[in-house]
Amino acid sequence: MNPVSRKPPTHSSPEAQRRLAYFSERRDEIVSTIRELVEIESPSDNKAAVDEVADAVAHKFSRLGGEVHVHPAKDFGNHLQVNFAGKAAKPVLLLGHYDTVYPLGTLATMPCRAVHNRLTGPGVLDMKSGIALMLHALAALQEWHGGLHGKDWNSGLPRPVTVLLVSDEEVGSDSSRAITESLAKKAAAVLVLEPSYGGQGAVKTARKGVGEYLVKVSGKASHAGLDFQKGVNAILELARQIEKISRFTDLKKGLTVNVGIVSGGSRTNVVPAEAAARIDVRIARIKDAAGIDKKMRGLRPFHRKCKIAISGGINRPPMERTAGVATLYAQAVAIARELGWKLGEAAVGGGSDGNFTAGLGIPTLDGLGGVGDGAHAAHEHILISELPRRAALIAGLIEAV
């Protein structure tokens, strides 16, 4: 962060209100963009579908003068990087994703509709509204600082901006993490357009780190009637391990351990030789990662004839509320105040790609996207009335960093 970026925004209240009016006049255009993206279904596990929405988004950014670079991915959709030139400075990284958790065909039962103040549809909140807000905030900055010459925007941004939209955030970001971290290291700050928190649209200044472990138990199969005592029950061993694992939770530290999936056995009349459990781990502090990992890998069989294999680990570091995060939040609060509202903050248990950038020590502010409810659920929606001030906030932050 440069020294200038630590000063509060200099927009006067009349200027802030002019900007808010600008986006209010274009609210229907923002809604139209969101609807277009929502109606291109893009489940993480369908490369062709995700690539289709990526192409549509790339075209829109290209029309704004962005230099589009596609990062091919074999097993997931391609990742999209768009570079915008600007006055000499480190770029701001706008980060997000266009994959969703919904299978193809969800639109048939969950259509994109505007009902009163709500826009519904699969992925409308998480996070296609965030992508639309990126587009419209950048278009506004182009107009305010540059202008349209013929059919092309000139380079009128107040600073360089890099946009990165990935295709696999909902399934762990395995193929995109290196790209995200590489671009973050070159950025002055990262603005994550994931959904805001709660009905008041709080931004996210802390997220828990995420880990997943697989615990596999091997015993010995036998006939449950004829040779019961010759068997070694892997499920029984796993049950005892689950009791121990569950005690690793430490709520005071913000550390939770959840056994989410259990499998094992083949038939009721067979003493099971195999059993397994998949475990979700959340940490609020990076310093707790080594401790929980040691506990998980230190599990030993209760039954001497059983064997245990442990795999997995922490795959997203926590986003902690560092000084850099706090500075970005203070800037956002000042901009929001000029626009006429009090912007809150929240610490949440879910992870995003902002965890990676914050874990590198890059100032990161998350939850700048749409305001609504029901992410990953049938009632997913955004509040249409919140779109103008969200766009104005994003535009202001790009200038202020």
Side-chain angles (χ1 to χ4, degrees), residues 144-169:
W144 298 340
H145 293 270
L148 183 63
H149 295 270
K151 295 182 179 180
D152 298 316
W153 290 97
N154 72 357
S155 180
L157 292 181
R159 66 172 309 116
V161 174
T162 302
V163 174
L164 178 63
L165 298 171
V166 305
S167 67
D168 62 347
E169 192 275 344

Side-chain angles (χ1 to χ4, degrees), residues 7-29:
K7 296 179 181 179
T10 57
H11 306 314
S12 65
S13 293
E15 170 65 9
Q17 292 307 313
R18 183 191 70 78
R19 291 182 169 209
L20 192 57
Y22 174 95
F23 286 115
S24 295
E25 292 168 1
R26 291 159 178 78
R27 190 181 69 179
D28 289 347
E29 295 177 25

Side-chain angles (χ1 to χ4, degrees), residues 26-285:
R26 291 159 178 78
R27 190 181 69 179
D28 289 347
E29 295 177 25
I30 302 174
V31 170
S32 179
T33 301
I34 298 170
R35 184 191 296 274
E36 181 182 347
L37 298 180
V38 170
E39 290 182 343
I40 305 175
E41 294 181 281
S42 51
S44 307
D45 60 358
N46 190 311
K47 177 174 172 58
V50 178
D51 283 346
E52 182 180 352
V53 76
D55 289 343
V57 171
H59 177 69
K60 291 181 181 297
F61 279 111
S62 180
R63 289 180 62 187
L64 292 179
E67 178 188 344
V68 175
H69 178 70
V70 175
H71 295 269
K74 180 181 178 181
D75 298 322
F76 297 95
N78 297 329
H79 313 301
L80 183 66
Q81 176 186 341
V82 187
N83 300 324
F84 289 89
K87 297 177 183 178
K90 278 190 171 184
V92 173
L93 176 60
L94 304 184
L95 185 59
H97 64 92
Y98 35 61
D99 62 319
T100 73
V101 300
Y102 301 95
L104 285 180
T106 301
L107 278 170
T109 56
M110 189 180 170
C112 187
R113 289 177 180 168
V115 181
H116 302 300
N117 188 36
R118 294 185 175 188
L119 185 68
T120 64
V124 68
L125 178 64
D126 188 12
M127 54 156 277
K128 291 182 176 178
S129 57
I131 299 171
L133 287 167
M134 286 186 195
L135 284 160
H136 286 271
L138 288 170
L141 289 171
Q142 290 276 22
E143 183 172 337
W144 298 340
H145 293 270
L148 183 63
H149 295 270
K151 295 182 179 180
D152 298 316
W153 290 97
N154 72 357
S155 180
L157 292 181
R159 66 172 309 116
V161 174
T162 302
V163 174
L164 178 63
L165 298 171
V166 305
S167 67
D168 62 347
E169 192 275 344
E170 296 290 7
V171 289
S173 304
D174 287 345
S175 71
S176 61
R177 178 175 181 174
I179 302 168
T180 298
E181 292 181 336
S182 175
L183 292 177
K185 290 175 183 177
K186 303 171 185 177
V190 180
L191 306 179
V192 186
L193 276 290
E194 289 275 0
S196 65
Y197 179 79
Q200 300 302 311
V203 292
K204 299 167 184 176
T205 53
R207 284 181 177 271
K208 287 189 177 182
V210 184
E212 183 176 311
Y213 289 86
L214 174 64
V215 178
K216 297 179 72 173
V217 176
S218 299
K220 182 180 178 181
S222 69
H223 193 292
L226 299 177
D227 296 307
F228 178 80
Q229 291 180 301
K230 292 182 180 180
V232 180
N233 192 313
I235 292 178
L236 179 59
E237 174 66 28
L238 180 62
R240 299 181 72 181
Q241 294 293 338
I242 287 172
E243 284 192 325
K244 182 173 182 177
I245 291 167
S246 297
R247 290 196 292 269
F248 294 163
T249 291
D250 188 335
L251 296 178
K252 290 183 179 180
K253 292 182 178 180
L255 189 159
T256 59
V257 182
N258 180 64
V259 180
I261 301 175
V262 175
S263 60
S266 57
R267 296 174 179 272
T268 57
N269 63 349
V270 177
V271 174
E274 305 289 340
R278 291 192 177 275
I279 296 147
D280 177 275
V281 173
R282 306 278 164 150
I283 56 172
R285 307 176 301 178

